[in-house]
Amino acid sequence: MPPPVLRLVRSIGRVLSALATLVTLVVVFLALIALTDGAGSGLAAWGTTLGAGTLFALWRGRHRTWPARLVPFLPVVVAAALTATVCIPTVPTARRYPSALPFVSTQHWNLATGSRVAVYHYPPAKSGPRHSVPFVYLHGGPVRGISVQDHRFLRLLARKGYDVYAYEQAGGGRSDLLPMDQYTISRSVRDLAAFVDRLDKGKVDILGFSSGGVVLTRALADPGVAARLHRAIIAEPGPMDGPTAHITGHKGRASARGLTPAPTGPRSTHVPRYAVALGLMRLGVLTPETGLIGQAEGDNAFTAADLGSDTASAYCARDAHRIPTEDTAQNFSFSPAASLRVQQTVKDSPSIAPRLRRSRTPAMLMIAECSSQVRQWATAALANDPAIQRTQYMPGVGHHMWNGLDDNNDRAADVITAFLQDKPAPLPNYPTRDEIPAFLRDHK
């Protein structure tokens, strides 16, 4: 082989060897992150990887002349620089809470459970009929702030004469954080009971949406908590327990997921530290209690754009190009680690069906036409709660049924208020328990 070609082959070989070393060190680093659960903000994995790379570089260069001994260190230096970006915070590590809302004051209540939650109150309109039973809203998330869209809907209910209260569940929005191991679905139910006790106005009507619907369903299965509830509305619930969470089945008609332009704005997943931490947590490789990023830092880093197509999945395909802005950057708040932990405690929980079958609290179920939820999550509640008096299948809307489009807010409010006032339903009672098999077959 001619000398020039031989030199070229050797150069290519050295480059490939350096790249292989670089990739190996990055893989070792990520493996150590997983094995150590991100201990010490990832520095334990980083230091071990750097030490191993240094020893390997010394071994590789042991027979070389002095300047050439430095060459094996090049991929180690590059790997150290790349992996160091996973260990360095780029947002504050102390919790930054959303700024105050301009249209409602934020109160903070200390609950008997130890949670300190942000509370919002919309008094009933001064004109027109007033309803004596307080109305409480349980938002979705599970651990996030109440969106501006939801606040608009709550104000609509207040204008209809309801005394409306809402609180952001512990760790979400302007509510104080909990130690990570205290985020459980059982804690959420206890917080609900403690909130009603702190309100001290007797029994309440309650609307639970999405994961809030899970909290409400489990509350109905707990006689001690259910005794505090007057009427209950379960809207688009997630899975109520472990057996339900493991169901894979039908969803609603086509949503806007994959049809809308990609969300704009900054994303935490564009930063190596949070891409690794949040990605590995979502995959179950890191625990929500990981030492790589703290809860507060993860909350600060996460943005609305990080939700990606999740927002679009809450709307019908026909609305793909007119999805409204659900929130403002100043109000948005989501805790990915705490949310994953609450969801895991639902998956790990035993069946609540035997207890739910003893429920006596009058209840209503709301299901969206274009729901992104597994249909059996809602029908499991219907099948097992004998006190569900009516089901309202909401045409033309997705998971987020009150969304400001067309007359969707008014239609949802009409369904809710008719049930609370024990008036005839605006829509057919559908599906009934007997119609569940046909519903699952026909609406997918």
Side-chain angles (χ1 to χ4, degrees), residues 302-313:
F302 202 87
T303 68
D306 284 318
L307 290 176
S309 57
D310 284 355
T311 298
S313 70

Side-chain angles (χ1 to χ4, degrees), residues 6 11 50 60 99 101 111 149 167 173 219 234-235 273-274 303 335 340 371 378 410 416-417 435:
L6 184 60
S11 297
L50 180 60
R60 286 285 303 276
S99 55
L101 291 165
L111 304 182
Q149 281 282 11
Y167 69 95
I234 305 167
R273 177 172 175 81
Y274 308 113
T303 68
S335 178
L340 285 172
S371 177
D410 289 324
I416 290 168
T417 57
E435 293 170 324

Side-chain angles (χ1 to χ4, degrees), residues 163-214:
D163 192 17
V164 178
Y165 291 85
Y167 69 95
E168 287 169 322
Q169 296 175 46
R174 296 164 186 82
S175 294
D176 286 7
L177 306 183
L178 295 176
M180 189 58 69
D181 62 358
Q182 292 186 27
Y183 288 107
T184 65
I185 190 62
S186 297
R187 174 61 172 265
S188 299
V189 174
R190 294 197 303 272
D191 279 352
L192 169 60
F195 177 83
V196 177
D197 290 345
R198 174 68 172 76
L199 183 59
D200 195 24
K201 291 192 175 186
K203 289 188 176 183
V204 301
D205 292 328
I206 185 162
L207 166 63
F209 167 65
S210 193
S211 61
V214 178

